[in-house]
Amino acid sequence: MTSIAKPPVRHPGLQKNALGLTRRDYEGAMSTLCAGCGHDSVTSALITAFWEMDIPPHRAAKMSGIGCSSKTTAYFMRQSHGFNAVHGRMPSVATGANAANRSLTYVGISGDGDSLSIGLGQLCHAIRRGLRLLYVLENNGVYGLTKGQFSASADVGSTAKRGEPNLQPPIDPVLLALSLGATFVARSFSGDKDELIPILKAGLAHNGFALVDVISPCVSFNDHEGSTKSYRYTREHAEEVAPVDFIPLRREITAQSAEGTAMSVTMHDGSTVRFRRVKEGYDPTDRDAAYAYVRHAQERGEIATGLLYLDERGFEMHASNRTVSTPLVDVPFASLCPGRAALDELMEEFR
Amino acid sequence: MQPTNVSDPKYYHRVVDCQWACPAHTNVPEYIRLIAQGRYTESYLLNRETNVFPGILGRTCDRPCEPACRRSRVEGKPVAICRLKRVAADHKDEVQAMLPAVPAKKNGKRVALIGAGPSSLTVANDLMPLGYEVSLFEKHERAGGLMRVNIPSFRLPESVLDEEVGYILNMGVDARFGTPVESMRRLLTEGFDAVFVGSGAPKGKELDVPGRWDAPSQIHIGIEWLANVHFGHVESIGKRVLIIGVGNTAMDCCRTSRRLGGTDIKVVARRSRPYFKASPWELEDAEEEGVQIVENHAPKRFVTENGVLVAMEFERLEWTTDASGKQRSSVIETVAIPADAVILAIGQENAFPWIERDIGIDFDQQGMPKVDRGTMQSSRPGVFFGGDAAWGPENIIWAVAHGHEAAISIHNHCQGIPVEDRPPQGMTLASSKMGMHAWSYSNDYSPAARTSMTHAELSTRFSTLSVEVELGFDAEQTAREVERCLNCDIQTHFTANLCIECDACVDVCPVNCLTITANGDEVDLRTRLSAPAENLTQALYASAELPQTSRIMVKDEDLCLHCGLCAERCPTAAWDMRRFDLLQPYAGRPAGSARSLPLAAVSA
Ligand SMILES: Cc1cc2nc3c(=O)[nH]c(=O)nc-3n(C[C@H](O)[C@H](O)[C@H](O)COP(=O)(O)OP(=O)(O)OC[C@H]3O[C@@H](n4cnc5c(N)ncnc54)[C@H](O)[C@@H]3O)c2cc1C
Ligand SMILES: Cc1ncc(C[n+]2csc(CCOP(=O)(O)OP(=O)(O)O)c2C)c(N)n1
Ligand code: SF4
Ligand code: SF4
Ligand code: SF4
Ligand SMILES: [Mg+2]
């Protein structure tokens, strides 16, 4: 907690986006997280991503579960919709919301505990379902909110604050998502906004489930010597495999030099993801290769970061369900729920 | 950029915009905080330390601090720094006992001061406690200089002037009133160890246009006329009054005319408003009293009929900017404005008829003495100048600043130390952290608009010349205004090796002051910060390399609210809010040594 709310005055030189809004118009309540928590940086990166994407705050929905990470939906875009679900259940609630109103932009914020322990099944099925959601997993290797117990993402040998090592093998959300058929899989670091922001933007544009695993250090319970999710450890071991730039459709391609770009991928809506660099021998469009690379990096003790796998066509729930293109909330009640007679007629078909 | 050296007092001093802009470097934010705490006496004494006349200046200061105030760059108008100073003066307790003591045993050195204006009085204030014997020569019967004879009492009550001038005279100054110095040569033979010339710029400028001498009893020189009003030689003026010129003197002349019977008063200026020398608040005060401001009129001639002034003719001008950017005027027409009296307020000049030109005191072609900007010394060792006498008309606070510097020089001179040896400034820097998220200052931001001063009713104002117009701030107004101050002396102090580069400070800063980035030169850095750093008058702070990535922390000082949020969100206390205190040296008192500190008042 800070002693005061953020003063309302702004820098007069603040840039405005296409909606005439500044970054500050995308802020939320003051954070109550510990000072220096990686999650606050992720919040700030999200603010920038939504602002740069010109997404009207009132057309976005922020979904979350329980945990310090899940609390952060309160700290950005105060004008957006939001739902704080029970622990690990955000994907189901997000599915419901998205089913009812596909016209909103959905962002889900979760933690490694919320996603990989209690909510693991929920996460798996949301991926399989192709829920159109930017899923930000703020990964600190611990249950921060409940004071630092190891989570399912803690590495073997990583020590708790008091010194005892973790013995159980970790679940890597990136490998999990790759194996479950996710079409957008990325990993980044809260302390590297240059890498993180374009990934978040690309994830928002992706037509399907976009998983972004963000190493987001817990300064209070997991930033010590011996931790493998600390600021220092992450900086020393992160290996930028596939950092990207995101170029929305309406921006002129000439605006940014393509020089040095390793590879360009056009997304379903015409926007472009440019791989700033791709590690030699790495192909971010080859699922098996990506899987193998990330595994090997792990064995070398390195953390592969960047947009690790992208299938630009995406896979999306409404498409596979062949839902009407009009958001269900906008479908007149009479056609959404045509009544007893229509139901009976339908049932007849199955007799 | 090289890492900023914050142990040089200049760096943090510059951040305190008001204090930096004040010629005497008054510690504004600290005195405002003391007022906020109701510690008026301490606030007064802190003021007095640097500016010597808080009560006088709290009413009359030209306030160079206010245009500099950071608050006006952030939101709204500057903090009412000057009028808060008056609050301290209005509400202080008895301070006589807390003023610097004067030793009974003198140091054997004698100093002559010429003129009893604020510059000389400051020299006396600084030298008396050191044991100097100070003789003050003043042609008038009382001390104060222009503060007494020119600044009207409806702006500066006599009692306030008497009190603050009294504190100095009562130190045992050998005041020789009614004693004009008529020959510097003679004075120099009287065995003084040093002489300070604080005789001001006593001559009002003439306007040599046709008819000037045709009706002398109706045409006045502003500063002489104001002095005559002060001495009671002038008690009335005609109904229709024209004031020529639009500086400070003009403002006092028009408002004084209003009180002496003038009903139709016009201040006539050659230029348009943006070019006026008078401050906007002075113009406002005059207009509130029904004075009309006439722009773009150049005086052409006085119109007299049978030896009586009836009008003045002006050329109405239009100003254009030529290709080279120079302003040029062309005459549109000639107009006559009826008048019963005209007051010329077009400036002041220096005059030193009493200083012989062959006694080693050099003058330039304009008749101004050659004075060293740093030491205030003339070409004759041991003779110093200050105030309006040094470089022409300025204001009270500059006169005070000159007085302090001259006192240091005089002390050096008398102690056999080269006058160029200026004692250095010092600083203290102390954390204002009181607890987890508690600071020893009010760090919340107040969006309140600047408090305006309450004025006496127009009807009562004109009854006597000396009714003070400004009523001062009441408790509520004071409480509101003090909170507008951003506490710019509470510095954001950074310790690079503690930073873990979590970005919390960068993200929380409401005005985008902070950036962690790769080092570069300043011009380059200014373009790639969280927000563009376009105000080149404001410093960029650059840290040493950060431990984890070797990038640096950069802070653009320009708009910092000193809200402390960066420090509150920093997990490692790499940012801390530290109170900066500029320690200034005075004559015989190196920076940081015995001060008539506010704390003295607490124990008393
Ligand atoms: C009408 C008017 C209004 C002003 N209003 C303001 C204001 O609101 N705020 C502000 O900051 N400034 C104001 N000023 C300017 C300010 O008053 C002066 O800048 C300031 O007083 C200069 O101080 P000083 O010490 O140089 O000498 P002065 O105040 O000029 O005093 C010089 C003294 O020396 C005496 N003297 C001169 N020659 C001799 C001699 N040969 N022997 C003995 N004594 C001599 C004079 O009688 C006088 O008392 C105003 C000026 C004028 C004219
Ligand atoms: C059903 C249920 N079980 C357990 C808890 C206790 N609990 C609260 S937060 C949390 C773990 C959160 O960990 P993570 O998602 O990693 O968030 P972090 O605080 O680390 O960001 C747990 C187990 C709960 N709130 N509800
Ligand atoms: S406990 Fe850890 S995760 Fe939770 S707010 Fe504090 S630093 Fe962040
Ligand atoms: S005190 Fe810190 S957070 Fe507040 S405005 Fe200044 S730099 Fe920004
Ligand atoms: S909050 Fe503190 S540790 Fe974090 S980047 Fe800022 S100064 Fe460094
Ligand atoms: Mg966690």
Side-chain angles (χ1 to χ4, degrees):
Chain A
M1 272 295 274
T2 47
S3 65
I4 56 169
K6 197 157 167 170
V9 280
R10 295 158 183 220
H11 193 292
L14 280 193
Q15 254 181 288
K16 292 188 170 149
N17 67 7
L19 303 173
L21 301 176
T22 69
R23 248 186 115 265
R24 292 213 54 192
D25 297 313
Y26 286 74
E27 288 180 348
M30 281 308 266
S31 171
T32 58
L33 302 184
C34 305
C37 178
H39 302 349
D40 282 332
S41 281
V42 182
T43 299
S44 164
L46 282 162
I47 287 173
T48 306
F50 274 93
W51 172 74
E52 287 184 356
M53 296 278 283
D54 306 320
I55 297 172
H58 69 284
R59 299 301 298 158
K62 308 169 296 181
M63 317 300 291
S64 67
I66 299 292
C68 297
S69 34
S70 294
K71 283 173 69 176
T72 63
T73 48
Y75 311 142
F76 64 99
M77 301 203 300
R78 54 169 68 83
Q79 289 157 327
S80 301
H81 306 273
F83 198 99
N84 228 166
V86 286
H87 204 7
R89 268 55 182 168
M90 175 265 279
S92 301
V93 179
T95 303
N98 187 309
N101 189 352
R102 61 188 296 180
S103 70
L104 298 181
T105 301
Y106 290 89
V107 58
I109 313 289
S110 182
D112 41 329
D114 194 62
S115 292
L116 304 178
S117 294
I118 194 168
L120 184 63
Q122 294 258 327
L123 169 61
C124 294
H125 291 287
I127 295 173
R128 292 186 55 249
R129 204 176 283 142
L131 177 62
R132 188 171 176 169
L133 169 75
L134 169 64
Y135 193 104
V136 181
L137 196 163
E138 298 179 354
N139 191 344
N140 53 18
V142 288
Y143 297 167
L145 191 69
T146 55
K147 301 202 171 226
Q149 300 82 357
F150 284 126
S151 77
S153 74
D155 294 308
V156 172
S158 177
T159 60
K161 209 174 179 180
R162 292 253 174 92
E164 58 285 27
N166 172 50
L167 302 175
Q168 300 176 22
I171 300 174
D172 180 344
V174 162
L175 295 178
L176 180 79
L178 283 171
S179 69
L180 288 169
T183 49
F184 185 109
V185 183
R187 173 142 51 214
S188 190
F189 170 43
S190 68
D192 186 356
K193 291 203 184 76
D194 286 347
E195 185 193 56
L196 176 57
I197 293 167
I199 289 177
L200 295 174
K201 286 160 66 179
L204 284 169
H206 183 65
N207 187 33
F209 190 91
L211 177 93
V212 185
D213 176 38
V214 189
I215 311 294
S216 175
C218 170
V219 276
S220 294
F221 301 110
N222 206 9
D223 195 41
H224 46 268
E225 194 77 19
S227 156
T228 58
K229 296 263 189 301
S230 66
Y231 281 105
R232 184 175 286 282
Y233 185 94
T234 309
R235 286 204 165 99
E236 282 169 359
H237 294 82
E239 188 205 16
E240 268 200 322
V241 170
V244 294
D245 286 319
F246 178 76
I247 299 108
L249 178 60
R250 56 176 167 62
R251 198 160 307 161
E252 281 224 36
I253 301 296
T254 50
Q256 246 160 325
S257 145
E259 214 172 297
T261 302
M263 187 176 158
S264 275
V265 176
T266 306
M267 308 281 274
H268 78 290
D269 64 353
S271 54
T272 314
V273 170
R274 283 212 187 118
F275 286 82
R276 230 181 282 157
R277 195 155 17 89
V278 178
K279 193 87 184 176
E280 207 165 325
Y282 192 83
D283 182 358
T285 60
D286 179 338
R287 186 182 297 272
D288 293 339
Y291 192 95
Y293 192 97
V294 173
R295 276 285 295 146
H296 289 134
Q298 228 166 40
E299 273 157 19
R300 291 195 302 273
E302 281 171 4
I303 307 160
T305 66
L307 179 41
L308 299 168
Y309 176 71
L310 173 63
D311 176 348
E312 73 279 9
R313 292 161 305 175
F315 171 68
E316 202 271 323
M317 177 178 81
H318 284 280
S320 50
N321 286 345
R322 284 171 290 136
T323 330
V324 286
S325 58
T326 314
L328 297 188
V329 282
D330 295 333
V331 174
F333 185 75
S335 41
L336 190 64
C337 188
R340 185 62 191 250
L343 180 65
D344 288 345
E345 202 177 307
L346 181 70
M347 293 303 280
E348 241 357 273
E349 285 178 30
F350 300 109
R351 283 192 211 278
Chain B
M1 279 177 82
Q2 288 298 312
T4 304
N5 176 14
V6 296
S7 58
D8 177 349
K10 277 206 177 55
Y11 183 77
Y12 282 147
H13 182 195
R14 229 181 113 183
V15 174
V16 195
D17 291 299
C18 47
Q19 190 178 19
W20 181 259
C22 173
H25 305 315
T26 303
N27 187 345
V28 174
E30 177 69 10
Y31 88 62
I32 291 182
R33 277 193 300 275
L34 289 167
I35 292 169
Q37 296 162 16
R39 296 161 69 187
Y40 305 115
T41 307
E42 290 94 322
S43 182
Y44 181 86
L45 290 171
L46 180 68
N47 261 290
R48 193 180 183 284
E49 178 83 8
T50 46
N51 60 46
V52 187
F53 305 105
I56 295 170
L57 289 165
R59 293 168 165 84
T60 61
C61 190
D62 262 356
R63 19 177 163 155
C65 53
E66 291 192 12
C69 175
R70 162 170 287 119
R71 177 69 199 220
S72 59
R73 297 199 297 277
V74 165
E75 186 183 44
K77 293 189 181 162
V79 174
I81 299 171
C82 181
R83 276 15 180 195
L84 285 172
K85 194 191 310 295
R86 174 179 166 179
V87 171
D90 284 355
H91 299 286
K92 69 180 187 305
D93 301 324
E94 183 53 55
V95 297
Q96 183 66 62
M98 285 170 276
L99 299 182
V102 176
K105 192 175 172 314
K106 299 300 168 189
N107 70 358
K109 302 285 180 185
R110 293 171 60 235
V111 178
L113 312 179
I114 304 172
S119 59
S120 290
L121 289 169
T122 302
V123 177
N125 176 70
D126 288 5
L127 294 182
M128 288 302 295
L130 302 177
Y132 285 87
E133 283 172 79
V134 174
S135 299
L136 178 65
F137 298 86
E138 168 56 54
K139 82 177 168 220
H140 292 313
E141 291 302 328
R142 304 185 66 185
L146 292 183
M147 303 191 297
R148 186 177 298 277
V149 301
N150 261 210
I151 298 184
S153 51
F154 59 83
R155 284 208 290 131
L156 175 58
E158 196 174 19
S159 58
V160 175
L161 183 62
D162 286 347
E163 178 189 328
E164 293 188 330
V165 167
Y167 291 142
I168 298 167
L169 296 181
N170 294 343
M171 290 176 173
V173 174
D174 163 32
R176 308 201 193 158
F177 293 125
T179 312
V181 174
E182 271 148 0
S183 162
M184 185 65 140
R185 188 196 307 277
R186 199 163 351 111
L187 185 75
L188 290 172
T189 63
E190 290 180 24
F192 288 104
D193 294 286
V195 175
F196 175 79
V197 182
S199 57
K203 237 177 76 186
K205 281 193 185 152
E206 260 304 341
L207 178 66
D208 224 353
V209 297
R212 166 65 182 93
W213 303 106
D214 293 353
S217 68
Q218 289 164 281
I219 302 170
H220 315 283
I221 300 279
I223 64 167
E224 286 170 13
W225 183 76
L226 286 169
N228 283 329
V229 172
H230 167 76
F231 290 118
H233 304 327
V234 167
E235 288 175 333
S236 66
I237 195 160
K239 295 235 171 298
R240 299 169 303 175
V241 187
L242 297 182
I243 321 289
I244 310 301
V246 69
N248 314 40
T249 306
M251 295 298 107
D252 283 338
C253 289
C254 66
R255 296 178 70 191
T256 300
S257 303
R258 185 75 181 83
R259 287 157 174 79
L260 294 188
T263 49
D264 172 5
I265 302 161
K266 294 187 174 72
V267 172
V268 190
R270 276 175 61 90
R271 309 288 310 265
S272 61
R273 255 171 208 264
Y275 302 94
F276 288 2
K277 269 183 80 184
S279 331
W281 57 82
E282 289 180 298
L283 290 164
E284 269 169 39
D285 291 348
E287 289 183 305
E288 181 182 300
E289 295 182 357
V291 171
Q292 229 183 306
I293 313 281
V294 181
E295 300 171 273
N296 303 324
H297 280 60
K300 194 174 174 201
R301 69 181 187 101
F302 294 91
V303 184
T304 46
E305 279 170 14
N306 310 322
V308 177
L309 177 79
V310 292
M312 190 163 184
E313 249 180 46
F314 295 88
E315 288 179 336
R316 197 155 73 78
L317 304 180
E318 187 177 54
W319 293 90
T320 46
T321 314
D322 70 10
S324 66
K326 254 187 97 178
Q327 294 260 319
R328 292 192 185 289
S329 64
S330 49
V331 179
I332 304 176
E333 59 177 339
T334 300
V335 290
I337 304 181
D340 303 317
V342 172
I343 303 176
L344 304 175
I346 50 179
Q348 278 164 265
E349 284 170 328
N350 291 73
F352 300 98
W354 49 278
I355 302 183
E356 294 79 358
R357 303 298 141 118
D358 59 351
I359 52 175
I361 302 174
D362 294 346
F363 285 79
D364 65 15
Q365 271 135 5
Q366 283 76 47
M368 292 300 287
K370 293 188 176 162
V371 181
D372 182 272
R373 290 261 170 200
T375 63
M376 317 300 295
Q377 187 166 256
S378 70
S379 56
R380 182 180 166 124
V383 175
F384 303 87
F385 283 73
D388 291 357
W391 296 288
E394 273 286 356
N395 54 36
I396 301 170
I397 191 64
W398 269 112
V400 169
H402 292 167
H404 286 311
E405 288 303 327
I408 291 175
S409 296
I410 292 170
H411 182 61
N412 280 10
H413 177 79
C414 291
Q415 306 303 321
I417 304 165
V419 287
E420 293 77 21
D421 280 7
R422 313 306 290 180
Q425 293 181 328
M427 65 185 258
T428 59
L429 199 61
S431 180
S432 63
K433 202 173 175 75
M434 303 293 283
M436 193 40 181
H437 288 150
W439 306 101
S440 64
Y441 69 107
S442 160
N443 63 322
D444 205 355
Y445 178 83
S446 162
R450 180 183 165 110
T451 310
S452 46
M453 179 51 69
T454 318
H455 286 174
E457 291 292 335
L458 281 177
S459 50
T460 55
R461 231 188 265 185
F462 304 135
S463 57
T464 359
L465 195 54
S466 59
V467 173
E468 189 172 15
V469 172
E470 298 193 353
L471 301 182
F473 284 152
D474 63 20
E476 221 171 279
Q477 289 171 313
T478 303
R480 175 163 9 108
E481 193 59 24
V482 291
E483 285 302 320
R484 297 185 69 239
C485 173
L486 298 174
N487 299 285
C488 299
D489 63 330
I490 312 280
Q491 306 284 348
T492 53
H493 183 80
F494 188 69
T495 309
N497 60 14
L498 292 180
C499 176
I500 58 169
E501 300 171 59
C502 69
D503 280 357
C505 54
V506 176
D507 293 339
V508 82
C509 178
V511 280
N512 304 72
C513 297
L514 308 177
T515 309
I516 298 178
T517 186
N519 204 345
D521 63 39
E522 184 175 334
V523 180
D524 159 48
L525 275 174
R526 281 183 178 271
T527 63
R528 47 189 181 84
L529 302 180
S530 305
E534 282 159 1
N535 184 352
L536 301 182
T537 67
Q538 290 286 315
L540 281 197
Y541 163 86
S543 77
E545 283 188 359
L546 302 180
Q548 293 193 11
T549 65
S550 304
R551 294 176 300 170
I552 58 166
M553 176 71 76
V554 184
K555 180 187 176 205
D556 176 9
E557 298 285 2
D558 189 17
L559 298 178
C560 174
L561 307 176
H562 299 264
C563 64
L565 283 177
C566 48
E568 290 191 18
R569 292 311 285 166
C570 179
T572 64
W575 282 115
D576 188 21
M577 302 307 292
R578 297 200 182 167
R579 188 170 81 85
F580 163 78
D581 195 359
L582 176 73
L583 304 175
Q584 299 195 73
Y586 293 98
R589 288 188 293 155
S593 64
R595 313 169 69 181
S596 57
L597 257 187
L599 291 179
V602 179
S603 56

